[in-house]
């Protein structure tokens, strides 16, 4: 039983268990040889006489393509071979409606597998036949079958003519489902006697329901196979038919010395390496169609195909069949009351696959070579988070690793895909910049706003694109930084200090702190930030987003309450309530949220072609802002508060500050004690930037993404924090790496394979690791400061809707949120996840309650005047996880509950996108 996650599981097994032996392009390190057969046989003598037996060293294997042809009677009452199906990892068969079906998993009968095992033990096995045509193969094969007594000499010509019959491929006019099955008779038999059924039942009812459930929506009569088949693939031809004069089913296996192209046989021009022939009498309990399907399925499975390439004799093939049977699951003939019960087979199948792909035992000679000192030297450890033990050692290593590839960072940008990524990421970065800019202006009473944030994003992104070690990171403003800015502004206002000047001293301390941390290679500490801490922080920020949205909405309702009569003035006055303002703000906020949320879901739906669907979904936030701003524009009689955007390069509040901030104070002298005390909030800002930047780098550097140029944790952290520290001197926000935007950037630059097998997930070919896309996005964001005539029409209520959208969507993919929902579900509805199936329910809930308690504590800290200490309290969850939780939970429970099992998302599936990979808010 194979589940929908089969391909992804095989890919994980291929990486973790046997990266060499599991790959088809070459079986490295194998000691099997095809040159010398273990026991002399008549086959050996015949092939040696034919000049086909030779010493063969190690043989490479190839991707496989399999075609199943059945013996039928065509419309002209002539015998022919008709294609019944083909396999390219998955099975495709021709439907009665006259078109090819969707690729699907093969469901085999247990009896057919037993028949193959029995027939192969007695059938003809020919290895390395040096034939170059189907006729030559047929002659050698029939001679061997006569010698072994499987057929009689007088039947030679009949079987030879049968093997050389015309091969046809299905169409709307004729297929195995519309033509009469044929039964081969000896010469002289009347034609009517050949029109006998090839099998009692063409396909069992269960097979029809399972294998034929998916139907192609198009009317195409030929599958688009050539572009899906790998270039080096070799084909297997399976011929099955009914021969009345045979006494028992017989099977013949032929492996050619070299793959040859057989004219007018296959549907695709591929060389054939293997040939299976299955012939036998018409027997009530034997379905040759199912036997052919089973043979084709086995040859399409990579491990058995590898065994067929490397087999030295019949026993090797039989062992391959036994191994195939050991990894298969048989369903008993009982009714399944619920299809969900079949999902319980998936863990068992995964375990069987793990055993099947387990690497072989190490060769005994390896220890001897190691003792002699002749083993290959171990590759140098290139882990960017490994300590060097030298001051600034990690920084120097980042530079030495990344900067030699600088020229390729420019050349790799010469691709149309990079241009498309620039356009997409520009809107992905502009929308949150405008949103956070408007909210920042609200929180700080205009001390910083949209213009400062746009310019800061432009300058810092340009510098980061030029000097960074991982230019795929997208630098920008994020929710945690907004929370800190609000808390620090409240602290300064309560203590009579200038907020904008205090940020300058925080910036100075930030530069000093990051120099110390980088010198001590402090980035290695990111290893200790487990999912436990990340999810608590992410959940807290999501709650703050949602709470702040409704808090602002309540403020609007207080300023503009619903009542029967209004004192309407000609001009809008700040303290005078306006009619319908609160209701329109609610509609704009809710409309923006639901529209953006719907477009996000629409991206992963089944409507419209994939390209158009992804285009609409990726630009969902800008589309939502535009539509709801347009709605507000046409409602002219109702007032709504708009985004405050200055003209040109002016600051948001020119009466309160300029572009340069005097560190000693603008209006009043800044307290000297606060100059030194600013180290405390500087540490808190550094913690926030450190968390987001390093965890984002970890996510984008996952091996599944196949980045080849490496990352630089130390260099990137130094650049981002130092630039933020200097930005404070000009009254601009500090920034950090943003998780969602970075993952989106990396996905947009990822080139996926197009020549994949039907139903197989596309594989990564390369990632355009370059600096130009980030540089161009930064320049475009800087130019956007001139969009004041457009931005001034955006209502703040629309930005509140986007804020709510970011808060809600950040909850998706957080395991803590999923486990909180499980508190409200009966256990029988719990998902089949490791943290559910391998941990007792009450223990799982206990872990959830501990996280909720910590979350509540953080919320209390956030709601008090001590809110500036929020990052420091968050960091305390690290020792809590490392030292306290192991005393409460067993190691296996923590591995299940606190595992970083987020799946890397390249292709969209329904209900899945990049947010499911993110555990940090952006």
């Amino acid at each position: 039983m194979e589940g929908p996650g089969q391909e992804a599981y095989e890919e994980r097994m291929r990486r973790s268990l046997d990266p060499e032996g599991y790959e088809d392009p070459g079986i490295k390190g194998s000691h099997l040889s095809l040159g010398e057969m273990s026991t002399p046989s008549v086959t050996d003598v015949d092939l040696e006489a034919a000049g086909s037996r030779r010493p063969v060293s190690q043989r490479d294997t190839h991707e496989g393509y399999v075609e199943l042809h059945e013996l039928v009677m065509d419309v002209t009452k002539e015998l022919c071979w008709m294609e019944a199906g083909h396999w390219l990892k998955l099975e495709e068969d021709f439907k009665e409606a006259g078109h090819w079906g969707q690729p699907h998993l093969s469901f085999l009968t247990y009896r057919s597998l037993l028949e193959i095992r029995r027939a192969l033990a007695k059938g003809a096995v020919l290895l390395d036949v040096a034939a170059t045509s189907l006729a030559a193969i047929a002659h050698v094969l029939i001679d061997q079958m006569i010698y072994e007594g499987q057929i009689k000499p007088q039947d030679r010509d009949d079987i030879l003519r049968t093997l050389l019959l015309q091969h046809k491929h299905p169409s709307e006019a004729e297929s195995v489902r519309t033509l009469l099955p044929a039964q081969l008779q000896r010469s002289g038999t009347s034609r009517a006697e050949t029109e006998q059924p090839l099998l009692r039942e063409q396909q069992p009812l269960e097979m029809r329901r399972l294998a034929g459930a998916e139907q192609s929506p198009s009317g195409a009569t030929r599958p688009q196979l050539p572009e899906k088949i790998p270039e080096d693939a070799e084909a297997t031809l399976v011929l099955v038919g009914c021969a009345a004069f045979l006494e028992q089913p017989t099977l013949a296996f032929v492996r050619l010395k070299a793959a040859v192209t057989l004219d007018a046989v296959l549907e695709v021009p591929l060389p054939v390496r293997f040939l299976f022939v299955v012939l036998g009498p018409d027997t009530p309990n034997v379905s040759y169609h199912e036997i052919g399907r089973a043979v084709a399925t086995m040859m399409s499975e990579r491990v058995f195909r590898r065994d067929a390439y490397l087999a030295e004799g019949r026993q090797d093939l039989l062992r391959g069949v036994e191994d195939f049977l050991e990894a298969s699951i048989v369903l008993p003939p009982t009714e399944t009351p619920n299809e969900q019960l079949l999902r319980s087979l998936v863990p068992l199948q995964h375990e069987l696959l793990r055993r099947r792909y387990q690497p072989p035992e190490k060769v005994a000679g390896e220890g001897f070579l190691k003792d002699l000192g002749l083993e290959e030297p171990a590759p140098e450890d290139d882990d960017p988070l490994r300590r060097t033990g030298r001051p600034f050692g990690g920084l120097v290593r980042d530079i030495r690793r990344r900067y030699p590839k600088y020229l390729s960072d420019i050349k790799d940008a010469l691709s149309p895909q990079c241009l498309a990524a620039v356009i997409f990421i520009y809107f992905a970065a502009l929308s949150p910049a405008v949103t956070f800019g408007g909210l920042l202006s609200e929180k700080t009473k205009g001390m910083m706003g949209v213009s400062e944030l746009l310019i800061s994003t432009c300058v810092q992104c340009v510098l980061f694109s030029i000097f960074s070690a991982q230019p795929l990171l997208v630098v920008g403003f994020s929710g945690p930084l907004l929370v800190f800015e609000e808390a620090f502004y409240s602290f300064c206002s309560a203590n009579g200090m200038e907020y904008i000047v205090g940020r300058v001293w925080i910036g100075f301390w930030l530069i000093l702190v990051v120099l110390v941390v980088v010198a001590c290679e402090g980035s290695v500490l990111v290893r200790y930030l487990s999912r436990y801490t990340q999810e608590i922080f992410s959940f807290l920020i999501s709650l703050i987003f949602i709470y702040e949205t409704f808090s602002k909405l309540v403020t609007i309702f207080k300023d503009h309450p619903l009542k029967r009569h209004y004192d309407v003035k000609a001009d809008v006055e700040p303290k005078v309530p306006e009619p319908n303002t609160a209701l329109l703000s609610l509609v704009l906020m809710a409309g923006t949220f639901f529209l953006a949320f719907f477009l996000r879901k629409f991206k992963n739906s089944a409507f419209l072609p994939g390209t158009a669907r992804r285009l609409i979904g990726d630009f969902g936030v800008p589309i939502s802002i535009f539509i709801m701003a347009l709605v507000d524009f046409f409602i002219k009689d109702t007032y709504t508060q708009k985004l405050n955007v200055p003209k040109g390069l002016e600051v948001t509040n020119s009466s309160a500050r300029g572009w340069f901030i005097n560190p000693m104070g603008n209006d009043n002298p800044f307290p000297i004690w606060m100059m030194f005390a600013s180290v405390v909030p500087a540490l808190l800002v550094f913690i926030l930037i450190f968390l987001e930047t390093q965890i984002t780098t970890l996510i984008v550097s996952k091996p599944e993404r196949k980045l080849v140029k490496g990352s630089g944790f130390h260099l990137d952290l130094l650049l981002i924090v130092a630039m933020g520290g200097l930005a404070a001197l000009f009254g601009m926000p500090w920034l950090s790496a943003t998780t969602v935007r970075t993952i989106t950037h990396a996905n947009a630059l990822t080139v996926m394979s197009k020549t994949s097998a039907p139903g197989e997930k596309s594989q990564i070919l390369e990632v355009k690791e370059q600096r130009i896309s980030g540089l161009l996005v930064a320049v475009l964001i800087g130019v956007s400061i001139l969009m004041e005539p457009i931005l001034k029409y955006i209502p703040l209520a629309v930005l509140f809707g986007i804020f709510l959208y970011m808060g809600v969507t950040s909850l998706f993919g957080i395991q803590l949120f999923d486990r909180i929902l499980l508190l409200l579900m009966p256990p029988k509805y719990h998902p089949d996840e490791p943290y559910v199936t391998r941990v007792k329910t009450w223990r799982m809930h206990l872990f959830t309650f501990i996280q909720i308690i910590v979350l509540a504590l953080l919320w209390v800290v956030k709601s008090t005047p001590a809110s500036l200490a929020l990052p420091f309290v968050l960091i305390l969850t690290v020792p809590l996880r490392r030292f306290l939780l192991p005393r409460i939970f067993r190691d296996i429970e923590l591995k299940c509950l606190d595992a970083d099992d987020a799946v890397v998302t390249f292709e969209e599936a329904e209900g899945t996108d990049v947010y499911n990979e993110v555990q940090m808010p952006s």
Side-chain angles (χ1 to χ4, degrees):
M1 186 71 185
E2 297 187 352
Q6 168 69 13
E7 292 295 328
Y9 183 79
E10 287 189 3
E11 179 68 20
R12 292 197 299 272
M13 291 294 103
R14 174 161 50 186
R15 288 193 309 270
S16 61
L17 296 178
D18 190 10
E20 294 182 351
Y22 182 64
E23 287 283 359
D24 284 335
I27 309 302
K28 301 178 182 179
S30 174
H31 288 261
L32 292 176
S33 172
L34 296 172
E36 299 176 1
M37 308 297 285
S38 57
T39 56
S41 64
V42 179
T43 305
D44 299 333
V45 177
D46 292 343
L47 294 181
E48 189 171 9
S52 64
R53 188 168 182 263
R54 59 173 177 81
V56 180
S57 60
Q58 181 162 318
R59 180 186 301 276
D60 288 339
T61 66
H62 299 265
E63 290 289 343
Y65 169 76
V66 187
E67 276 194 16
L68 170 63
H69 291 203
E70 295 182 10
L71 187 64
V72 297
M73 185 78 68
D74 66 8
V75 292
T76 62
K77 300 300 181 181
E78 296 291 338
L79 290 174
C80 70
W81 295 103
M82 175 63 71
E83 180 187 359
H86 52 242
W87 282 252
L88 190 57
K89 297 188 178 180
L90 299 178
E91 179 181 359
E92 287 185 80
D93 50 10
F94 201 78
K95 302 300 181 183
E96 295 180 1
H99 58 72
W100 286 96
Q102 291 285 356
H104 57 81
L105 298 174
S106 296
F107 299 89
L108 307 178
T109 61
Y110 184 61
R111 187 181 188 89
S112 65
L113 294 173
L114 293 181
E115 292 290 344
I116 293 173
R117 172 68 176 82
R118 185 180 301 112
L120 189 59
K122 300 179 180 179
V125 176
L126 293 90
L127 303 178
D128 300 329
V129 175
T132 57
S133 66
L134 185 58
I137 299 173
H139 279 288
V140 176
L141 175 61
I142 293 175
D143 288 344
Q144 182 63 25
M145 295 176 72
I146 293 175
Y147 181 85
E148 296 185 359
Q150 297 186 44
I151 62 175
K152 298 179 179 180
Q154 60 266 32
D155 296 328
R156 172 188 175 89
D157 292 341
D158 291 330
I159 293 181
L160 179 62
R161 281 195 297 269
T162 301
L163 294 179
L164 300 180
L165 287 171
Q166 180 184 5
H167 291 259
K168 294 185 177 182
H169 303 284
S171 63
E172 294 183 3
E174 54 181 5
S175 67
V176 291
R177 296 184 181 276
T178 59
L179 298 176
L180 292 173
Q183 187 178 95
L184 183 63
Q185 302 286 344
R186 285 195 175 98
S187 300
T189 305
S190 63
R191 172 165 298 187
E193 293 177 350
T194 67
E195 299 179 8
Q196 302 296 328
L198 174 59
L199 46 133
R200 292 295 178 184
E201 207 172 337
Q202 176 74 14
Q203 196 176 33
L205 179 61
E206 292 81 6
M207 294 297 108
R208 292 188 181 186
R209 187 175 72 84
L210 291 173
E214 299 280 348
Q215 289 195 0
S216 174
S218 63
T221 58
R222 292 177 62 87
Q224 301 298 321
L225 279 175
E227 65 271 16
K228 300 176 182 177
I229 300 177
E231 294 180 359
D232 64 339
E234 294 181 346
T236 298
L237 178 62
V238 181
L239 303 177
V240 297
C242 191
F245 49 80
L246 294 179
E247 297 178 356
Q248 61 182 3
T250 181
L251 180 146
F253 170 78
V254 179
R255 185 182 69 206
L256 299 181
K257 177 181 178 181
V260 296
T261 301
L262 304 179
D263 296 334
V265 174
L266 298 181
E267 186 175 18
V268 292
L270 280 180
V272 175
R273 175 59 70 93
F274 300 99
L275 174 68
F276 274 92
V277 178
V278 181
L279 296 173
D282 181 20
T283 306
N285 296 325
V286 177
S287 169
Y288 295 105
H289 172 75
E290 290 303 322
I291 292 177
R293 289 183 63 250
V295 170
T297 301
M298 293 172 65
M299 286 303 298
S300 67
E301 197 265 330
R302 62 188 73 186
V303 178
F304 182 82
R305 187 171 65 250
R306 179 191 64 185
D307 295 340
Y309 270 104
L310 299 177
E312 295 180 340
R314 184 193 310 275
Q315 293 304 317
D316 293 330
L317 291 174
L318 289 175
R319 278 194 294 269
V321 175
E322 294 290 349
D323 292 342
F324 185 91
L325 290 174
E326 287 182 3
S328 302
I329 298 175
V330 178
L331 293 178
T334 57
E335 284 193 23
T336 305
N338 188 347
E339 291 184 2
Q340 294 294 327
L341 295 179
L342 297 178
R343 294 183 179 271
S344 62
L345 297 177
V346 175
L348 173 59
Q349 186 219 23
H350 286 180
E351 176 62 21
L352 294 175
L353 285 176
R354 188 190 66 80
R355 295 176 185 174
R356 185 162 176 78
Y357 302 142
Q358 191 75 34
E361 296 294 332
K362 290 187 177 180
V363 181
E366 290 184 0
F368 177 69
L369 292 176
K370 183 176 181 180
D371 293 338
L372 295 178
L374 298 178
E375 78 277 12
E376 295 183 3
E380 182 182 355
D381 186 6
D382 195 35
D383 183 4
L385 291 177
R386 177 178 57 86
R387 284 186 181 275
T388 64
R390 300 185 303 271
F392 295 100
L395 176 64
V396 173
R397 191 175 52 181
D398 288 346
I399 294 174
R400 287 179 176 176
R401 182 195 306 112
R402 196 63 175 84
Y403 279 11
K405 303 179 180 69
Y406 207 98
L407 185 59
S408 67
D409 289 340
I410 307 301
K411 293 180 179 178
D412 291 347
L414 303 177
S415 169
Q417 186 165 358
C418 293
L419 179 61
V422 167
I423 299 174
F424 169 46
I425 300 301
Y426 165 66
F427 285 101
L430 179 65
S431 299
V434 172
T435 303
F436 281 121
L439 296 172
L440 188 61
S441 178
E442 283 288 305
K443 303 288 187 184
T444 63
K445 303 297 186 290
M447 297 305 293
M448 287 192 301
V450 176
S451 59
E452 289 84 2
L453 185 52
L454 289 177
I455 294 176
S456 180
T457 303
C458 171
V459 175
Q460 294 191 45
C461 284
V462 167
L463 295 176
F464 187 81
S465 299
I466 295 174
F467 298 107
S468 67
Q470 181 50 273
L472 295 187
L473 297 181
V474 178
V475 179
F477 201 73
S478 63
L481 294 177
L482 179 64
V483 173
F484 175 83
E485 296 288 2
E486 180 184 15
F488 186 64
Y489 181 84
S490 301
F491 171 81
C492 292
S493 299
N495 291 275
M497 291 182 290
E498 290 184 286
Y499 156 76
I500 203 68
V501 178
R503 293 185 77 259
V504 175
W505 288 99
I506 292 178
F508 290 158
W509 282 109
L510 273 178
I511 298 174
L512 181 59
V513 169
V514 75
L515 286 174
V516 173
V517 171
V518 172
C520 299
E521 299 180 291
S523 292
V524 299
L525 296 176
V526 73
R527 294 182 184 274
Y528 300 110
L529 294 174
S530 68
R531 185 171 189 154
Y532 178 84
T533 299
Q534 298 173 34
E535 291 197 331
I536 290 175
F537 187 33
S538 182
F539 202 100
L540 175 67
I541 298 302
S542 297
L543 288 181
I544 292 174
F545 281 9
I546 297 171
Y547 172 81
E548 289 292 335
T549 300
F550 289 102
S551 174
K552 291 296 180 185
L553 189 64
V554 170
T555 300
I556 294 177
F557 270 85
K558 288 181 178 178
D559 293 340
H560 304 277
L562 302 181
K563 54 185 182 179
R564 182 182 298 271
H565 301 288
Y566 290 91
D567 184 15
V568 180
K569 305 288 185 180
D571 297 323
V572 176
E573 297 181 7
K575 300 298 182 181
V576 177
E578 293 288 330
N580 300 324
T581 293
L583 290 178
L584 181 57
S585 297
L586 174 62
V587 169
L588 293 176
M589 185 206 73
T592 305
F593 167 75
F594 285 112
L595 186 56
F597 193 80
F598 166 77
L599 291 178
R600 175 175 178 251
K601 293 293 185 183
F602 180 79
K603 174 183 177 180
N604 305 323
S605 68
F607 298 99
L608 298 184
T611 303
R613 190 173 65 243
R614 283 190 293 271
L615 184 66
I616 295 174
D618 289 338
F619 293 96
V621 171
I623 291 174
S624 304
I625 294 176
F626 174 77
I627 291 178
M628 299 314 294
L630 200 63
V631 169
D632 176 77
F633 177 77
F634 285 110
I635 302 177
K636 299 183 180 300
D637 290 339
T638 302
Y639 163 77
T640 53
Q641 187 178 359
K642 302 297 192 295
L643 182 64
N644 181 19
V645 183
K647 295 182 179 179
L649 297 177
E650 295 182 4
V651 295
T652 302
N653 188 354
S654 56
S655 62
R657 50 157 293 192
W659 277 116
F660 180 80
I661 309 301
N662 185 358
M664 307 309 295
N666 280 341
D667 300 328
N668 302 307
F670 194 73
I672 296 179
W673 67 269
M674 189 59 192
M675 296 178 184
F676 295 95
S678 296
V679 65
V680 176
L683 285 172
L684 303 180
V685 174
F686 178 80
I687 290 173
L688 295 178
I689 298 177
F690 179 89
L691 286 174
E692 288 205 274
T693 300
Q694 304 296 50
I695 293 175
T696 300
T697 306
L698 277 178
I699 291 176
V700 82
S701 302
K702 285 184 177 180
E704 296 91 334
R705 294 193 172 275
K706 298 185 179 180
L707 301 182
V708 297
K709 296 183 180 181
S711 297
F713 289 82
H714 309 279
L715 177 58
D716 290 347
L717 180 66
L718 176 64
L719 283 174
I720 291 176
V721 177
M723 289 189 303
L726 293 176
L729 194 59
F730 302 95
M732 294 188 294
W734 32 62
L735 309 177
S736 68
T738 54
T739 311
V740 172
R741 280 161 266 176
T742 295
I743 293 176
T744 306
H745 188 203
N747 287 356
L749 294 171
T750 300
V751 181
M752 308 298 291
S753 63
K754 297 182 180 179
T755 58
S756 58
E760 183 188 20
K761 291 184 178 180
S762 298
Q763 302 298 319
I764 296 179
L765 296 180
E766 63 171 331
V767 179
K768 300 292 185 181
E769 298 178 66
Q770 39 71 48
R771 302 176 181 273
I772 304 302
S773 61
L775 184 66
L776 293 179
V777 168
V779 172
L780 290 176
I781 290 177
V783 174
S784 301
I785 192 64
L786 304 177
M787 295 172 58
E788 179 268 339
I790 299 175
L791 298 178
K792 68 180 182 181
Y793 288 108
I794 299 179
L796 283 181
V798 170
L799 300 185
F800 297 155
I802 298 299
F803 211 45
L804 177 63
Y805 167 80
M806 289 189 293
V808 172
T809 52
S810 294
L811 292 175
F812 299 130
I814 300 179
Q815 188 191 102
L816 172 59
F817 180 66
D818 297 335
R819 283 188 275 107
I820 290 176
L821 295 181
L822 294 183
L823 292 172
L824 308 176
M825 291 184 186
K828 65 178 181 179
Y829 296 117
H830 287 185
D832 187 16
E833 297 288 348
Y835 62 84
V836 174
T837 58
R838 303 190 66 178
V839 181
K840 292 182 179 180
T841 302
W842 74 271
R843 304 276 291 175
M844 176 186 68
H845 292 335
L846 175 61
F847 189 86
T848 304
F849 275 120
I850 292 176
Q851 284 186 295
I852 293 176
I853 292 172
V854 175
L855 190 62
L857 176 63
L858 288 170
W859 184 267
V860 170
V861 173
K862 178 262 174 189
S863 304
T864 63
S867 58
L868 276 177
L870 183 66
F872 179 73
V873 178
L874 176 69
I875 287 296
L876 293 179
T877 61
V878 176
L880 171 68
R881 164 63 182 87
R882 290 186 59 82
F883 301 112
L884 180 60
L885 291 187
R887 298 178 179 272
I888 304 175
F889 298 94
R890 298 194 304 272
D891 184 58
I892 184 63
E893 293 175 329
L894 289 177
K895 286 182 178 179
C896 296
L897 292 166
D898 197 28
D900 182 14
D901 55 357
V903 178
V904 174
T905 305
F906 299 109
E907 294 185 342
E908 292 78 14
E910 186 163 356
T912 303
D913 54 22
V914 296
Y915 284 90
N916 293 76
E917 188 182 348
V918 177
Q919 294 151 22
M920 293 295 291
S922 281

